Amino acid sequence: MKRIRVVAAILALLTATMAGLFWLVPGIGMETIAGCGVAALCLLIVVPFDASEPPARKRVLAACVAFVVAVGVALGFAIETSVDLGPLSALAGVEFVGLILAVWSFTVRNRRRRALWSDYYDR
């Protein structure tokens, strides 16, 4: 789960940086910028907390799914306003990495720590 949290932190910072850069691009609407900001906040909420038990892992899964949905909405607004191909491809790339992160967190959602085994998890 540590690796998922590190990837989620990197992806959240990348999305927040993209939202800041989109602020400077004149053809991108506020809906796209707000969608990127909400997506970054979805992941930043769960990053600082250790998720060693299944309920906490399911919260990480919910945050990853919310991230994918928020970036999808931002991508939809960006397509609707027909901005350049560069921002659309950047959003699509972030959406793809977010989808991989959501699938990854789905596969580890029910793992439990085994007693007396350091960093070993059972399904």
Side-chain angles (χ1 to χ4, degrees):
M1 187 49 82
K2 292 176 189 174
R3 287 186 221 136
I4 292 175
R5 288 175 42 219
V6 168
V7 171
I10 291 169
L11 191 60
L13 291 176
L14 177 69
T15 308
T17 304
M18 281 177 47
L21 291 175
F22 286 166
W23 181 269
L24 302 175
V25 177
I28 296 180
M30 287 301 297
E31 300 89 2
T32 305
I33 297 169
C36 288
V38 168
L41 284 177
C42 288
L43 286 183
L44 284 177
I45 289 173
V46 296
V47 165
F49 303 109
D50 187 28
S52 58
E53 295 300 317
R57 289 174 183 265
K58 289 177 183 172
R59 284 191 290 272
V60 171
L61 172 64
C64 291
V65 170
F67 175 82
V68 170
V69 169
V71 172
V73 169
L75 186 59
F77 281 124
I79 290 172
E80 184 178 300
T81 58
S82 67
V83 296
D84 293 334
L85 189 59
L88 288 178
S89 62
L91 274 176
V94 168
E95 177 81 13
F96 181 69
V97 173
L99 188 62
I100 290 172
L101 186 66
V103 169
W104 187 12
S105 64
F106 179 78
T107 60
V108 299
R109 73 189 184 286
N110 288 327
R111 288 187 183 172
R112 297 184 186 281
R113 182 180 288 273
R114 287 195 60 172
L116 303 176
W117 290 61
S118 177
D119 290 332
Y120 182 79
Y121 291 91
D122 242 351
R123 289 186 184 249

